[in-house]
Each structure stands twice: as structure tokens, then as C-alpha cells.
Amino acid sequence: MSVQRAAFAATVGNMLEFYDFITYSFFAVEIGHAFFPAHTAYGSLMLSLATFGAGFITRPIGGIVLGIYSDRVGRRPAMLLSFALMGIAILTIALTPSYATIGLAAPVIVILARMVRGFALGGEVGPTTAYLLEIAAPERRALVVAWQPTSQEIAATAGALVGVILSGVMSPEALDAYGWRIAFLIGAACLPFGLWMRRSLPETIRRGEDGSKEITKSGHLALSRRHLRLIVLALMILASGTISTYVTQYMTTYAKTTLNVAANLAFAVSVVSNGLQILGAILGGWLADRHGRKPVMIWPQLVVLVLTYPIFLWIVRAPGVASLLFGFGVLSLIGSLPYTAFYASFTEALPQEIRGGVFATIYAVAIATFGGTAQLVVTWLLHVSGDPLAPSWYLLLAAAAGLVAMSLIPETAPAKVGLTRIEPH
């Protein structure tokens, strides 16, 4: 199997994850109406977003369980299991009757499905990123690892396009009643194809005679402790990137509810920004293979820190096609450059014996802590402050923390790049 086909098969789960994520974010208001009736629109939206966040509670558990499973048994079986669980959860949400039909059972079922989905996704990114690094030639690692964020943005763009099309051809009443279910079912249609693709993947883990990796759970923990400083820095960078991603993807709801722009323009903002993030992820990987990981992390992050507030000020003062598309587009393109380099750097710095488990756990903890709360925090900030610039406050704080960690993380690019680097132990 070619590296390109293996990379595509490995990242199909990420595509489903982000398609589901974008779909839920886009239709948070409609999902709130279906499952969480409340006395006010704000209350219904907050309940819907809280359920969105419920799936993040189980992510660290999935990261630990499925990540270590991928280190001991293999990347392929871990990726197959996470993908199957993810598909079951998405179908459950799409097909669950509304609160008006089955009462309290509806929100309970949806919350449980989100928790199963969270468990599955917790163990998705770590094994997948480790697999991408392990199938790549040393001089092309960052570009191959770029499939990780690229696949996410492709799916996010597809989700945005589905939102644009549905909002254009359906009435608001139809969209609220069942249109959002159609969007979920479109994503679920890729399940059989994804399972077939992942079953054909070659394994990259070298097993011992007993069929498992020759490292015990206590050995896994001891080896992880030796890389504690790296893990803390990685957690800071992932927290920064997670807040940026989830707040940016919340911009559809923000544009509709705070800036009061038309729904089709709100969806178009996400289509453009997600499309530019695809370009940024690929470009970031290409640059990181040629110039090292750290420069590609630090300089774009610094630019984002400088531009965030002025761009939000422009958008708030003159909300429209130019400010929304160009403003969010610039932040999306530049902000996506550092994270392909980071994925490659962090994964390279970890020994293979703990690579999947540590990456999955740290990623899941960052997502659970900061991703699951980002949209709630922004919605709350907007509500209590009444200031439409509130999202920029949170983004600035996250960007600053990420920049500090990026400046401290070691360089791991191959020696031919000509940079000082560390070797995994």
C-alpha cells in the first residue's frame, strides 16, 4: 500500500470526527430545540452546548485505554475500534426522536451517545498521528503528518458546505425540524467505506512473540515520566490550538446570534476559513520538513497574537462579507501553520513504545479541558459582558500561552535540516 493511501485510510476517522463536530456546532441551536427545550433561547443553546461538551469528559479515558492499546497490540486494531464506536454514536444522535416525542429519554440518549463518541475520539488522534509518522520517510515526516490536521479541515469544510446547502434549500422550519438530522446522516454514510479502508492498513508496531509490545503498563508509565517536561509543554500547545480551533469553529453560531448576519454568510465564513486551514496545514508540514519544526511554530503564532484583536475589532464594527471572510480567513490560514509542525515534533520526540498512548492522552486531556468548555466560555463571556469582542480575549490568552510553550519545546527535525535536535530515548 502506498504512503498516500495509508495516510488517507488512517485519517478517515479524523474526517468523521470533525464533520460531526462541525455539524453539531452549526446546528447547536436546532439541536437545542429538538432535545433541550427551555424557557429562553439562551438556555436552550447553553444546554445544547453543554451536551456537546459532555463528550469531552470521556475523551481522556479513551485516550488512555485506546492509546495504550495501540502501543501494545497495534495501531490498526485501535483505529478500527475507535472508528466503529464513533459511527455508532453519530447514528444514535441522528436517529434519536425529539424531546417532544419521547420526553426525558431523548436528552439522556443523546448525552450517552456523546460520551461514547468522546471515548472513541479520545483514542483516535494519538494512534493515527503515531501511525502517520511511522509510515513516513524521515525527510517527509511533517508533510505526511500534515494529513492529521488536513483531514480534519477537509471534513470541517465538507460539513460547512453541507450546512450552506441545507440552509439554502430548506426553510428555517424544515431545518429546525429535521434538516440537521440529514447533515449527520450524510457523515454516517462513510462508515462502511472507512472500516473497509482501515482493515487494509499495514501494521507499524513490531510485536513480541506473545503478540504484544514488550512493555508493561508500569514500564509505559515510567517511560512517560522521563518525558514529563515535553509532555507539559505539549499540553500547553495543544490547549492553545484547541481553544483557537473550537472558538473559530463557533464563529458560525457567533455570526448568527451576536453579529446578526444572514445564515448563508455565517456558513460561508466557515467554508472559507476551513478551506484556508487545509492549505495552512499542508504548507506548515512542507515548511517544517525544510526549515525545522520550531521556526514554523513560533513565527506564525506570533503573527496570530498580533492580529487577533484588530481583526475582531474590524469584524465587530463592520460585519459583512469583506471583514468576515477576509478577517477570519487570515487568522485561519496563519493560525493553522504551527500545528502540523507541532504534531511532527511531539510525535518524533516520543519513543514508539509510548507514542500512541502519550499523544492520545495529552491530546484528549487538552480537548476535554479546553475544547469541551471553549464554546461555553465564549457564550458565557458574551452573555455577561455584552461585548462582542469577548471571543478575542480568550483567543489572545490562548495564543500567548501557546507561544511560550513553542519557544521552549526542543527541535526534533532530522539532522539534515541543520538544526540542533533531540533524539527520543
Side-chain angles (χ1 to χ4, degrees):
M1 178 182 288
S2 68
V3 171
Q4 291 79 7
R5 184 181 175 188
F8 175 77
T11 52
V12 70
N14 295 305
M15 295 184 191
L16 184 60
E17 170 194 1
F18 265 70
Y19 178 89
D20 169 70
F21 159 67
I22 291 298
T23 300
Y24 198 106
S25 296
F26 281 174
F27 296 108
V29 174
E30 290 80 7
I31 292 171
H33 294 164
F35 300 118
F36 308 102
H39 294 298
T40 65
Y42 170 72
S44 178
L45 177 60
M46 287 297 284
L47 286 171
S48 178
L49 293 176
T51 300
F52 177 75
F56 294 89
I57 297 173
T58 51
R59 279 206 177 193
I61 302 173
I64 294 169
V65 174
L66 296 177
I68 293 176
Y69 181 67
S70 79
D71 287 333
R72 291 180 55 81
V73 178
R75 309 296 187 212
R76 183 175 61 186
M79 290 190 290
L80 278 169
L81 179 57
S82 66
F83 191 72
L85 290 173
M86 199 185 318
I88 291 170
I90 292 173
L91 281 171
T92 299
I93 293 172
L95 300 176
T96 299
S98 67
Y99 183 93
T101 303
I102 62 173
L104 188 60
V108 171
I109 292 171
V110 170
I111 290 170
L112 290 175
R114 295 299 296 182
M115 294 180 76
V116 170
R117 176 192 176 280
F119 178 88
L121 295 180
E124 172 69 25
V125 175
T128 301
T129 308
Y131 186 84
L132 292 172
L133 186 85
E134 290 159 3
I135 63 174
E139 68 276 8
R140 290 173 54 85
R141 283 176 181 165
L143 189 58
V144 174
V145 169
W147 275 84
Q148 174 67 260
T150 299
S151 66
Q152 296 174 357
E153 299 307 332
I154 289 173
T157 304
L161 285 170
V162 169
V164 170
I165 293 169
L166 290 177
S167 64
V169 302
M170 300 180 72
S171 67
E173 294 76 17
L175 203 65
D176 191 73
Y178 61 86
W180 64 269
R181 296 183 187 271
I182 294 174
F184 275 100
L185 290 172
I186 290 172
C190 77
L191 287 171
F193 174 73
L195 288 170
W196 173 74
M197 287 287 291
R198 284 196 166 184
R199 283 180 62 87
S200 65
L201 286 173
E203 183 56 70
T204 60
I205 292 292
R206 297 183 297 274
R207 296 181 177 84
E209 294 181 359
D210 63 349
S212 65
K213 284 294 292 178
E214 296 176 349
I215 182 172
T216 63
K217 291 181 180 179
S218 59
H220 196 287
L221 181 61
L223 192 54
S224 300
R225 286 174 177 168
R226 291 171 56 185
H227 296 79
L228 184 59
R229 180 178 181 274
L230 175 68
I231 289 171
V232 172
L233 292 174
L235 182 60
M236 291 176 63
I237 295 171
L238 283 170
S240 174
T242 296
I243 290 171
S244 175
T245 296
Y246 281 69
V247 172
T248 299
Q249 299 300 348
Y250 181 68
M251 290 302 102
T252 299
T253 301
Y254 171 77
K256 289 191 294 184
T257 60
T258 301
L259 302 180
N260 298 312
V261 304
N264 57 352
L265 175 57
F267 284 122
V269 170
S270 289
V271 172
V272 171
S273 63
N274 290 332
L276 288 172
Q277 284 176 348
I278 295 172
L279 176 61
I282 296 171
L283 181 60
W286 183 82
L287 290 171
D289 279 332
R290 282 152 181 78
H291 303 292
R293 316 309 187 212
K294 289 192 68 170
V296 182
M297 285 189 276
I298 292 172
W299 291 109
Q301 187 76 359
L302 182 60
V303 173
V304 167
L305 188 62
V306 171
L307 291 182
T308 295
Y309 188 81
I311 286 177
F312 264 84
L313 190 62
W314 179 31
I315 290 168
V316 168
R317 289 183 175 179
V321 174
S323 61
L324 284 165
L325 295 183
F326 183 78
F328 282 133
V330 167
L331 287 180
S332 298
L333 176 62
I334 300 174
S336 61
L337 291 172
Y339 291 97
T340 298
F342 164 72
Y343 285 161
S345 178
F346 184 43
T347 314
E348 281 174 327
L350 295 170
Q352 188 183 50
E353 292 84 354
I354 63 171
R355 187 175 287 153
V358 168
F359 197 108
T361 302
I362 299 307
Y363 186 90
V365 168
I367 294 290
T369 306
F370 300 97
T373 59
Q375 298 188 8
L376 281 170
V377 169
V378 170
T379 303
W380 177 78
L381 284 173
L382 288 166
H383 183 71
V384 299
S385 70
D387 187 348
L389 288 169
S392 68
W393 308 342
Y394 203 30
L395 287 173
L396 284 170
L397 179 63
L403 182 61
V404 170
M406 289 172 183
S407 67
L408 296 174
I409 202 166
E411 179 63 70
T412 63
K416 77 168 196 170
V417 176
L419 299 166
T420 303
R421 66 182 298 264
I422 65 166
E423 294 287 346
H425 302 291

